[in-house]
Amino acid sequence: YLEQLVEYDIWATARLLDVVGVQRRELLDATTPGVFGTVQETLHHMLQAERSYAARLMGEASPEPLEPLDLVGMRSVAGGLAAELRRLVSNLPEPGVEYQRRLGPVTAATVLTQLFWHGCEHRAQVSTILGANGISLECASVRRRPSRRQPIPT
């Protein structure tokens, strides 16, 4: 089941980047009340956080913060993250392993849960912004996800 969850996360992010990539450039700067920020800020934040969660679970140091990225850069980061998430599936720590962080300890199970929940939350926020601008995003439905692995466009 974990592999399917990872593949959905990879697919949903790639699909969202595809949809955003064919819109007018100014849409990257669009936002709406109740979301994290602009489309570009939200995608950037989501990718940065998922990289950090994956690194923590792999026992690696947190990656350097991402510089501001255009869509090509975001697709590249998403492709690298996809490889990391696939590697993670077979290398997960035990659920109760604790990590120290500034706000106190957190377990591996919590980090893994946050990795997926965080991505879903921010993809939904970008979908809300797109919807507020007249763009339908039913394409991210789990029912529309292909059943086989598809490469992440870079």
Side-chain angles (χ1 to χ4, degrees), residues 8-103:
Y8 175 79
D9 186 80
I10 292 166
W11 172 83
T13 298
R15 185 67 185 116
L16 185 58
L17 289 169
D18 287 346
V19 170
V20 170
V22 298
Q23 306 306 319
R24 61 191 190 282
R25 168 65 183 93
E26 25 325 325
L27 189 64
L28 285 174
D29 297 323
T31 191
T32 197
V35 301
F36 177 84
T38 67
V39 167
Q40 187 157 10
E41 291 165 344
T42 304
L43 291 170
H44 184 275
H45 166 76
M46 180 187 77
L47 291 169
Q48 177 66 48
E50 286 196 20
R51 288 173 67 235
S52 294
Y53 297 138
R56 179 171 286 160
L57 289 166
M58 296 294 289
E60 300 168 359
S62 238
E64 292 293 318
L66 292 171
E67 296 294 325
L69 298 168
D70 60 11
L71 279 169
V72 172
M74 285 190 233
R75 284 187 174 142
S76 177
V77 169
L81 180 59
E84 288 298 307
L85 293 176
R86 288 180 177 131
R87 189 168 62 101
L88 179 63
V89 169
S90 59
N91 294 296
L92 274 177
E94 291 298 316
V97 169
E98 283 194 351
Y99 302 99
Q100 296 304 315
R101 58 186 187 134
R102 189 172 27 98
L103 300 174

Side-chain angles (χ1 to χ4, degrees), residues 126-144:
V126 171
S127 297
T128 297
I129 297 167
L130 295 176
N133 283 275
I135 300 161
S136 171
L137 196 66
E138 69 177 59
C139 64
S141 167
V142 71
R143 294 181 311 238
R144 295 186 187 272

